[in-house]
Amino acid sequence: MAIILAANMCSIASSKTVEGIKRFDIEDKLQSRSNIALPPLEASSSRRHLLVSIGPSLVTLTCGGLSPLMVWAEEKSSDKEEEEDKGVIGAIKSLFDPNEKTKSGKVLPKAYLKSAREVVKTLRESLNEATDNNAKFRRTADSAKESIREYLGSWRGNQTVAQEESYVILEKVIRSLANFYAKAGPSAPLSQEVKSEILDYLNTAEEFL
């Protein structure tokens, strides 16, 4: 809005300056033909001549300086629109892309990464939960069991991810849990040694997810 207003002002100023120059030429011709000395008019004409001389310079300075600003503003607006378009296109592509890049730079199925991350999250919460709050401990343990069950049902033996580091590590985690409960019983609390080992495995697996 400011740019449009300034441009209109420049146009008006330019037309008034030209009009003033024409009027000055006519008065000057009339004065030279009459050969009558008119001091007040001469003083007025001198002032008008000064204004007419300064006028074009101001118009040139203002309007000449405005054009680069208008171009710069248009370029900035265009750059911003291009960046926004790229951001929208990137978000759409990401939304429909079945794969995702991991922290380690590998591209793996989104569904696998989501399932594996859920195992890491819920199992870590279960292991870190204090056993004295039985209700909360049972809740976190059930969440961990459910996430492990879903993970195994969807991805165990899947050749798309079977060679990935995160898959191999999570297999070790599940095997350690199974071996412990097979020996100690399904209700036995995990020993500190087994718990520390599994937490280390989870930290390592997370680095590849």
Side-chain angles (χ1 to χ4, degrees):
M1 185 69 177
I3 292 175
I4 294 173
L5 180 60
N8 290 337
M9 290 175 63
C10 288
S11 177
I12 293 170
S14 297
S15 63
K16 287 186 177 296
T17 301
V18 172
E19 183 181 346
I21 293 171
K22 289 180 178 179
R23 190 183 299 113
F24 172 74
D25 288 341
I26 293 170
E27 291 177 357
D28 188 54
K29 287 178 181 179
L30 289 173
Q31 182 180 347
S32 61
R33 288 177 183 176
S34 62
N35 293 320
I36 297 174
L38 298 173
L41 182 61
E42 286 178 0
S44 176
S45 298
S46 297
R47 286 194 297 272
R48 188 181 294 119
H49 183 270
L50 178 61
L51 291 172
V52 170
S53 300
I54 294 174
S57 300
L58 291 174
V59 171
T60 302
L61 178 61
T62 303
C63 298
L66 182 61
S67 296
L69 290 175
M70 293 174 68
V71 173
W72 177 80
E74 290 175 358
E75 289 177 350
K76 294 291 288 183
S77 177
S78 177
D79 291 343
K80 185 177 180 180
E81 288 176 358
E82 287 180 4
E83 290 178 1
E84 290 177 351
D85 289 343
K86 288 179 181 178
V88 171
I89 293 172
I92 293 174
K93 285 183 177 179
S94 177
L95 181 63
F96 291 100
D97 190 349
N99 298 319
E100 181 183 340
K101 184 176 287 188
T102 67
K103 295 176 183 178
S104 60
K106 287 193 174 183
V107 177
L108 295 174
K110 280 183 180 179
Y112 165 75
L113 292 173
K114 181 180 178 181
S115 182
R117 287 167 182 164
E118 189 66 16
V119 170
V120 171
K121 175 179 174 290
T122 57
L123 188 52
R124 181 185 285 145
E125 289 175 352
S126 176
L127 294 174
N128 288 329
E129 188 60 56
T131 57
D132 55 351
N133 188 336
N134 190 58
K136 193 172 183 181
F137 175 76
R138 178 59 58 185
R139 188 163 56 250
T140 57
D142 288 344
S143 296
K145 289 177 182 178
E146 184 61 26
S147 64
I148 290 172
R149 187 181 298 114
E150 290 180 0
Y151 172 81
L152 292 175
S154 300
W155 298 101
R156 192 163 207 175
N158 190 313
Q159 294 304 308
T160 304
V161 296
Q163 302 303 317
E164 296 299 324
E165 292 90 341
S166 56
Y167 179 92
V168 173
I169 295 169
L170 288 180
E171 279 289 303
K172 292 180 180 180
V173 168
I174 295 168
R175 193 179 301 117
S176 294
L177 286 171
N179 289 339
F180 174 82
Y181 287 118
K183 294 177 181 178
S187 301
L190 281 174
S191 66
Q192 190 59 44
E193 181 182 355
V194 174
K195 186 184 292 188
S196 297
E197 180 185 54
I198 292 175
L199 286 172
D200 287 341
Y201 280 146
L202 294 177
N203 291 335
T204 304
E206 192 173 37
E207 294 176 2
F208 295 100
L209 294 172

